[in-house]
Amino acid sequence: MLDVLPKLLIELRDDDAVDAIVHGRVRGYEPAPDTIDPNSGAVLEQGDARGPGQYVAFVVLVRLDSPRDKRSVGQYPRIAVRCYGRTRPEAFALYAACSDALHGRGPRIHNNGLGIYLSWDDTGSSQEKDPVTDQPYEEFIASLIATTQAVAS
């Protein structure tokens, strides 16, 4: 079965409005960790999840489920999209950009043959706050209709 999450990640990362806010920081499953020098143990580059006063904007995608169609090669994945901002207004602006990039977007076939026939913002946003860093974020569920196997373009 083909996984839609990596392709959705690329679609959001390639969207100009999303990238203007996050500068390429679109992740799967969890925020990027700090990059540590293996020799000295020093932090070479900070990851995404930072403390107050050091927040950066980023997006995290988490697959909630991906049930298969019982009669075809289709699947109906649902992906949680968490839009972290440095401020609440920025988190909402990032939600709006991500939602606009996905909502009502029609057929496309990726280079691995994955067909995504439709994607949409299924829930609208909810205001949240990260329990560890207190960073504000907006979350919504993206629903898709996609193939489970490669299709021809």
Side-chain angles (χ1 to χ4, degrees):
M1 186 159 115
L2 296 174
D3 186 2
V4 301
L5 193 141
K7 299 305 179 185
L8 207 60
L9 188 149
I10 291 167
E11 288 181 7
L12 286 175
R13 190 178 288 162
D14 288 349
D15 185 82
D16 291 338
V18 172
D19 193 54
I21 300 170
V22 300
H23 307 290
R25 290 185 295 270
V26 181
R27 317 296 187 197
Y29 184 62
E30 61 187 20
D34 291 345
T35 303
I36 307 294
D37 182 307
N39 298 319
S40 68
V43 175
L44 299 174
E45 184 178 342
Q46 279 191 298
D48 297 330
R50 305 176 187 184
Q54 300 179 354
Y55 296 145
V56 294
F58 61 98
V59 176
V60 175
L61 305 177
V62 178
R63 183 179 35 264
L64 300 175
D65 59 14
S66 191
R68 293 177 184 232
D69 188 273
K70 293 170 182 60
R71 297 182 186 148
S72 71
V73 294
Q75 61 175 312
Y76 305 98
R78 294 173 9 105
I79 309 291
V81 182
R82 296 182 184 138
C83 306
Y84 291 81
R86 292 169 292 180
T87 62
R88 287 210 175 280
E90 183 178 62
F92 184 82
L94 182 54
Y95 152 71
C98 288
S99 178
D100 288 350
L102 299 175
H103 187 70
R105 187 153 176 225
R108 62 256 196 211
I109 297 178
H110 290 273
N111 58 5
N112 69 343
L114 171 70
I116 298 177
Y117 297 118
L118 184 60
S119 60
W120 64 95
D121 176 347
D122 205 23
T123 60
S125 71
S126 64
Q127 286 185 328
E128 307 290 341
K129 182 172 73 169
D130 186 275
V132 175
T133 65
D134 287 333
Q135 183 169 2
Y137 69 95
E138 298 274 338
E139 182 174 53
F140 73 100
I141 307 301
S143 293
L144 298 89
I145 300 172
T147 61
T148 58
Q149 63 189 31
V151 295
S153 55

